[in-house]
Amino acid sequence: MDFLAQTDSLFFEKTQLSLDVTQKLVNDILRGADDGELYLEYMRSEVLVWDDGKLKTANDDTSTGFGLRLVCGDSVGFAHAGLLDDDALRQASASLMAVKSGYQGVLSAPPARAGKALYDGANPLLGQRFEERAQLLQKIDSYIRAKDPRVIQVSLSMAANWKAVQILKADNWRAADIRPLTRLHVSAVVAQGDRMEVGSHGGGGRCGYESVFDPSVWQDYADEALRQALVNLDSVDGQAGEMTVVLGSGWPAVLLHEAIGHGLEGDFNRKQTSVFSSLMGQQIAAKGITIVDDGTIMGRRGSLTIDDEGTPTQCTKLVEDGVLVGLMQDRMNARLMGTVSTGNGRRESFAHQPYPRMTNTMMLSGAYDPKEIIASVDKGLYAVGLGGGQVDITSGKFVFSTSEAYEIEKGQIKRPVKDASLVGTGFEILKSISMVGNDGRLDPGMGTCGKNGQSVPVGVGQPTLRLDNITVGGAKV
């Protein structure tokens, strides 16, 4: 697909930007620098929110702009504007010249050309009509309420965006990408007596709305949200203390993402602020543990054909058989650490500069049947879903709440548990894994990662895991 020709139409034929002037300006400002780029972006987005039996919010937004970055050593100049014309670009260029004053660097080679596109680039907002999308939300609401009289509230959100980007570097190097993204989230509140509980589920990916319009998809989301709510309605106070924890496959890898993944991003390691700094080549996890960050999986929420610096994404091996073997890198941190970018330079929008960020981060499958893992536990906790959490990158300490969990007694799954939390450090988690399931899978496509005030879509995944001697917080001590 010729994304370059399509984005030329958006950025140079329908705006006040001239391609010749733009390329000359980029060549001039990057002369004598180590790196940098001009990042052009056009995005149209839509968010629909359904609550209290009616459509509460319907936002449609179009934004366009550029971000101009100049890198000299570890100094960065960055300017952005929400319009595309030659004068605005010249003004941004002039404001960055002070960063380069007196500096003479060696310009880094541009990225390799992108390979196979991981999505078709079709605009999700040009498919079904707006009225049809609103009607689908109403249909989901009615479907959930009809399934159980205890349902007292249904909250839904449907969102999509279509982002076109073009990246220009020195010597007239250019790359482009067109990125669709959709997501449907379902939340159900149930009540029995004076007790209320909530369950939620959802998913999406780099595709059109047709995916969530499929009844087998949205009904699965609705059924799962209701099932979780009803399970939580029967939950009891859990036991606190140190115990064996079994993490379910898929979404519980958000713990892996937060407690371990951020610590393996290049900038934290270059600055020696990660708990994993200086441990390259050392055993940081039990044997049999392999963790990768893979931005090349077709249609996934965290996937990108190229990152936001123009580098093709790849599958980066981070931990192999328990040994730390790699980090996620953008161009600047890779250069300063004497290595190469792994295609993990990501930014939220044209108004933000790129940093090393995760794409789809996952632990690969092992040899154990999940039933065998559960059967091996005499007394412990089975955490199927995780909610919010906090992580300290420097120490690796984390606290994560569970959204769905059960007691394990004598190898059997027993009562659902409420208000349980997992407490520990990334090191403890990695070292405590004693059994790795053969059921690895990715989450359904609902992850968003925050860093330095920016948010980007990501994926997480893992098989069922047995963790020994993990601290669990709960109501009972």
Side-chain angles (χ1 to χ4, degrees):
M1 298 181 186
D2 192 356
F3 286 161
L4 200 57
Q6 292 182 57
T7 56
D8 276 351
S9 174
L10 282 171
F11 297 126
F12 300 111
E13 297 174 16
K14 299 178 180 179
T15 70
Q16 300 302 307
L17 270 184
S18 159
L19 178 57
D20 291 340
V21 170
T22 298
Q23 289 186 318
K24 182 179 185 306
L25 184 146
V26 172
N27 289 336
D28 289 345
I29 194 171
L30 293 184
R31 190 176 298 115
D34 290 317
D35 206 354
E37 73 283 315
L38 174 66
Y39 175 91
L40 306 175
E41 178 184 282
Y42 171 95
M43 186 170 79
R44 182 172 170 206
S45 60
E46 175 186 82
V47 178
L48 282 69
V49 177
W50 181 278
D51 206 14
D52 290 328
K54 58 187 175 183
L55 189 65
K56 282 290 187 72
T57 302
N59 291 338
D60 190 313
D61 181 65
T62 300
S63 63
T64 187
F66 70 82
L68 181 62
R69 186 177 66 139
L70 180 68
V71 182
C72 297
D74 61 354
S75 298
V76 178
F78 181 72
H80 65 89
L83 71 165
L84 297 175
D85 65 50
D86 292 342
D87 288 341
L89 194 53
R90 289 191 187 96
Q91 183 176 345
S93 176
S95 70
L96 299 186
M97 292 304 292
V99 176
K100 198 172 66 170
S101 178
Y103 186 86
Q104 189 60 46
V106 177
L107 194 62
S108 299
R113 295 296 179 184
K116 179 182 178 182
L118 302 176
Y119 25 83
D120 64 13
N123 189 340
L125 303 177
L126 300 181
Q128 291 82 4
R129 294 179 294 109
F130 173 83
E131 291 81 3
E132 293 176 304
R133 298 196 278 275
Q135 287 168 5
L136 176 61
L137 296 180
Q138 183 178 32
K139 184 184 295 185
I140 298 172
D141 181 290
S142 299
Y143 175 82
I144 295 175
R145 293 179 186 274
K147 287 184 74 72
D148 197 294
R150 289 171 290 182
V151 175
I152 61 169
Q153 177 64 292
V154 175
S155 299
L156 310 167
S157 65
M158 180 185 290
N161 63 60
W162 185 80
K163 180 184 289 190
V165 304
Q166 189 172 134
I167 299 161
L168 296 87
K169 300 181 76 68
D171 299 324
N172 301 333
W173 184 96
R174 295 193 294 151
D177 200 10
I178 297 180
R179 305 164 177 171
L181 190 67
T182 59
R183 186 175 188 266
L184 173 64
H185 184 262
V186 180
S187 176
V189 179
V190 295
Q192 186 168 287
D194 59 357
R195 182 170 179 176
M196 291 189 299
E197 295 290 347
V198 63
S200 63
H201 193 58
R206 295 201 175 277
C207 54
Y209 269 136
E210 67 276 0
S211 60
V212 296
F213 267 77
D214 182 341
S216 67
V217 174
W218 65 258
Q219 288 178 12
D220 176 68
Y221 293 171
D223 290 345
E224 178 61 15
L226 179 57
R227 185 197 65 80
Q228 288 182 23
L230 295 176
V231 165
N232 290 331
L233 202 58
D234 294 328
S235 62
V236 298
D237 290 336
Q239 188 76 37
E242 196 172 85
M243 65 183 71
T244 299
V245 173
V246 177
L247 287 180
S249 63
W251 176 249
V254 67
L255 177 58
L256 175 81
H257 170 103
E258 294 290 357
I260 300 162
H262 280 297
L264 300 182
E265 292 169 339
D267 49 353
F268 295 131
N269 284 270
R270 179 177 67 83
K271 298 172 184 177
Q272 299 287 302
T273 56
S274 167
V275 69
F276 298 103
S277 297
S278 305
L279 293 179
M280 189 62 64
Q282 296 187 31
Q283 194 86 29
I284 64 169
K287 285 186 174 295
I289 304 299
T290 296
I291 301 171
V292 301
D293 184 82
D294 191 351
T296 70
I297 308 173
M298 189 70 68
R300 293 299 306 186
R301 181 172 169 82
S303 295
L304 294 170
T305 300
I306 57 174
D307 72 2
D308 295 322
E309 298 178 300
T311 305
T313 56
Q314 64 182 49
C315 181
T316 302
K317 195 167 284 187
L318 305 172
V319 177
E320 184 174 21
D321 201 21
V323 176
L324 179 60
V325 296
L327 300 172
M328 291 165 282
Q329 296 283 13
D330 64 347
R331 285 172 60 87
M332 185 184 85
N333 287 281
R335 175 178 52 81
L336 293 171
M337 295 179 74
T339 184
V340 295
S341 171
T342 56
N344 288 91
R346 304 189 63 187
R347 65 181 97 201
E348 179 178 326
S349 75
F350 68 86
H352 303 85
Q353 55 182 298
Y355 295 103
R357 305 292 299 273
M358 284 173 272
T359 57
N360 303 300
T361 309
M362 52 192 162
M363 183 182 295
L364 303 188
S365 290
Y368 289 94
D369 186 296
K371 294 179 181 178
E372 185 181 359
I373 296 176
I374 294 291
S376 73
V377 180
D378 183 61
K379 185 175 179 59
L381 182 76
Y382 180 35
V384 180
L386 296 183
Q390 295 180 329
V391 180
D392 184 328
I393 298 299
T394 303
S395 67
K397 293 180 179 179
F398 64 81
V399 178
F400 262 88
S401 63
T402 61
S403 58
E404 181 182 357
Y406 301 84
E407 297 174 338
I408 302 176
E409 293 181 0
K410 299 187 184 304
Q412 299 291 320
I413 298 173
K414 298 295 185 179
R415 299 176 301 177
V417 172
K418 67 176 181 178
D419 299 330
S421 60
L422 306 181
V423 183
T425 69
F427 267 130
E428 289 176 350
I429 285 291
L430 289 174
K431 293 288 189 180
S432 70
I433 298 172
S434 60
M435 300 176 78
V436 180
N438 59 12
D439 59 337
R441 65 186 176 102
L442 284 161
D443 76 282
M446 55 187 179
T448 299
C449 172
K451 177 179 176 179
N452 293 339
Q454 301 187 36
S455 296
V456 297
V458 296
V460 297
Q462 68 176 38
T464 299
L465 302 174
R466 172 175 164 149
L467 313 178
D468 296 332
N469 302 318
I470 298 299
T471 300
V472 175
K476 296 192 297 182
V477 180

